[in-house]
Amino acid sequence: MAVPTFVAFLVNVDPPAHAQDSSVALMYNRVGAADGATTGIEAFENHLTHLSTHNYEVLRLPQIVAALQVGTAIPEGAVAITFDGGHISIYREAWPRLKALGLAFTVFVATDFIDAGGENYMSWDQLRELSSSGVAIGTLGASYSHLVALRESEAAADIAQANQRFMDEIGIIPELFAYPFGEYSSNLQKIIARYGYSAAFGQHSGVIYRGADYLALPRYSLVGSYSNMARFQTVVDTLPLPVADLMPIDPLITNNPPSLGFTIIGDVGPLDDLACYLAQFGKLNIEQLGPSRIEVRFPDALPDGRSRVNCTLPGPGGRWRWFGLQLLVAP
């Protein structure tokens, strides 16, 4: 997802060291790999250097989720580092660098990929080593399928199969779920809730905050061109743009273009400079209804597949408030 030009080149400032009720989660896939969605080693090292030399505290993602859910304050500048997919570069390249700096992280894996073996993915022995060292292991299900396209029974079976493999190999069932490709629907959220996950994560941008929908939490992707340092410095300092009464209720779109609207809650200051973007259309027209209701107007139908809307608002201290949403139009 391209970052709005006016956001991408902001000067980074150290966040003050106080307690807060929000956190940024970062998402990587592969580090220094020659194939697939990768982040260069130099870029990754620059990210870690920035986190470890400024006023940030990198925490385990389950710790952040648990604290926000029970109302415990977390440090301002709290950041979670996550990886999707179980690629071998996480073990060979990312983990040594994170371990040297004492930085926590979470790995979401699809168990079929681990079972299949091969040189591109970690083994169960390597995952056990990570887990025993305190790395949080999350799940993408078994097959890394487009779960929203499956029948409910098929999606549930995929998730159940993964849980059984985790129990067999590591002795635990992960408490955190990440939606493959960031795709979720209301029906899939209900399945996730039945399995008792404490939180589920997409691939849309935004900030985790107390009172958010814990079955649709955002993460900032730092893959490929989105891993540049200007963008990284912007996103690690973002603040939440809390919303309620989000429409459409289901991000799996049936009426296209959808009617997108939300109510901004809390004291975030004037909304005059609120702006929303979609890569396919650029800056979107928005209408403010009353003091805090926002309606977003799309100029045309959304294309098939995934579309990500980003809404930003200037915040205190040169930081930005950010709300993101992924919408899915089934082909």
Side-chain angles (χ1 to χ4, degrees), residues 146-284:
H146 295 272
L147 295 178
V148 294
L150 301 180
R151 291 193 294 268
E152 181 177 331
S153 59
E154 293 173 329
D158 184 275
I159 295 166
Q161 177 184 332
N163 285 347
Q164 186 60 56
R165 293 299 295 130
F166 282 115
M167 180 59 70
D168 291 343
E169 297 289 347
I170 302 181
I172 61 167
I173 294 176
E175 59 181 290
L176 301 180
F177 189 90
Y179 298 109
F181 312 104
E183 298 173 353
Y184 63 93
S185 64
S186 295
N187 284 339
L188 185 55
Q189 287 179 300
K190 292 175 184 176
I191 296 172
I192 296 301
R194 288 204 302 269
Y195 277 98
Y197 294 104
S198 61
F201 294 81
Q203 295 182 9
H204 52 290
S205 298
V207 182
I208 305 168
Y209 60 91
R210 184 172 302 142
D213 182 351
Y214 287 95
L215 296 182
L217 294 178
R219 293 178 294 167
Y220 288 104
S221 175
L222 291 163
V223 172
S225 61
Y226 304 125
S227 63
N228 70 80
M229 200 60 192
R231 181 175 186 273
F232 178 83
Q233 290 176 333
T234 296
V235 301
V236 292
D237 283 348
T238 50
L239 297 166
L241 184 61
V243 305
D245 303 320
L246 176 63
M247 295 294 291
I249 297 174
D250 194 336
L252 182 60
I253 299 305
T254 54
N255 295 320
N256 195 8
S259 297
L260 175 59
F262 50 85
T263 300
I264 297 176
I265 58 177
D267 183 12
V268 299
L271 303 180
D272 298 346
D273 294 322
L274 176 72
C276 295
Y277 298 84
L278 181 68
Q280 295 92 329
F281 301 137
K283 189 175 182 179
L284 300 169

Side-chain angles (χ1 to χ4, degrees), residues 13 16 37 46 67 85 87 100 132 173 208 219 224 240 270 287 314 324:
V13 292
N46 288 339
H87 193 264
S132 65
I173 294 176
I208 305 168
R219 293 178 294 167
E287 182 179 357

Side-chain angles (χ1 to χ4, degrees), residues 136-151:
I137 308 297
T139 177
L140 289 156
S143 61
Y144 202 73
S145 297
H146 295 272
L147 295 178
V148 294
L150 301 180
R151 291 193 294 268

Side-chain angles (χ1 to χ4, degrees), residues 14 65-66 80 88 94 156 177 202 225-227 268 283 300 309 319 329:
D14 284 346
V65 170
I88 188 61
F177 189 90
S225 61
Y226 304 125
S227 63
V268 299
K283 189 175 182 179
D300 202 350
V309 177
R319 303 165 74 183
V329 178

Side-chain angles (χ1 to χ4, degrees), residues 90-116:
I90 301 167
Y91 181 85
R92 292 177 178 167
E93 303 291 352
W95 187 32
R97 290 168 169 83
L98 290 158
K99 183 164 55 174
L101 295 171
L103 301 180
F105 65 103
T106 297
V107 177
F108 291 96
V109 299
T111 56
D112 282 0
F113 288 7
I114 310 302
D115 286 334

